[in-house]
Amino acid sequence: MPFKILTITIFASLFFTSYGQDSPNYYAQFKVLTITQKEEALKIDKKIATKKGIISTHTDHLTSTFFCTMTGDVDYDMDDFTSWFSKLGYEITCFNKGIQGDDRMISPHELKKCEKSNIAQ
């Protein structure tokens, strides 16, 4: 049993050390116009998750919002997401990007009410 714990500890240590601790992770969030169904949200998540450096995605059809985390070695911006979502048939607005843990995220409920045009950060 102690050997299993030691093995898991070593593996976790190597994994997190090699997973880009030198640069911070980023997040991107925005409102997705015209998304209404859970199936659409799942399709978006599946497609965006295939992009290099995307750690996690979450599309919420109830609030029409998208959130993802990215490794620090990719530099995706509003234009990248606009292009990807356009290819999927969606328009995005109220774009917000920042350093995970440092910058202010916008709550999904605030994004849902957002009427502003795209603002890059």
Side-chain angles (χ1 to χ4, degrees):
M1 183 81 159
F3 180 73
K4 285 183 180 180
I5 293 172
L6 178 61
T7 303
I8 292 171
T9 303
I10 291 171
F11 176 77
S13 169
L14 291 173
F15 176 78
F16 288 114
T17 301
S18 66
Y19 201 3
Q21 282 186 337
D22 294 339
S23 58
N25 289 337
Y26 291 88
Y27 68 86
Q29 60 179 155
F30 46 83
K31 183 175 181 177
V32 182
L33 303 180
T34 69
I35 184 171
T36 59
Q37 298 178 5
K38 183 178 181 178
E39 292 76 21
E40 293 175 282
L42 294 172
K43 180 181 172 184
I44 290 169
D45 286 337
K46 186 176 180 179
K47 181 65 177 174
I48 302 301
T50 65
K51 304 294 182 189
K52 178 184 181 259
I54 299 293
I55 299 170
S56 66
T57 67
H58 179 72
T59 306
D60 185 348
H61 70 286
L62 297 175
T63 59
S64 300
T65 59
F66 174 84
F67 175 83
C68 74
T69 55
M70 305 168 277
T71 60
D73 63 338
V74 296
D75 192 24
Y76 298 134
D77 60 15
M78 183 177 68
D79 291 338
D80 295 309
F81 285 99
T82 298
S83 174
W84 298 336
F85 275 74
S86 177
K87 289 176 184 174
L88 291 170
Y90 300 99
E91 184 180 350
I92 68 171
T93 189
C94 303
F95 185 87
N96 182 40
K97 178 183 173 184
I99 298 172
Q100 192 175 8
D102 285 346
D103 294 327
R104 181 186 173 274
M105 288 191 273
I106 301 170
S107 81
H109 301 293
E110 193 177 337
L111 269 179
K112 180 180 180 177
K113 296 175 188 173
C114 181
E115 298 294 330
K116 298 177 187 174
S117 61
N118 285 319
I119 46 173
Q121 290 194 0

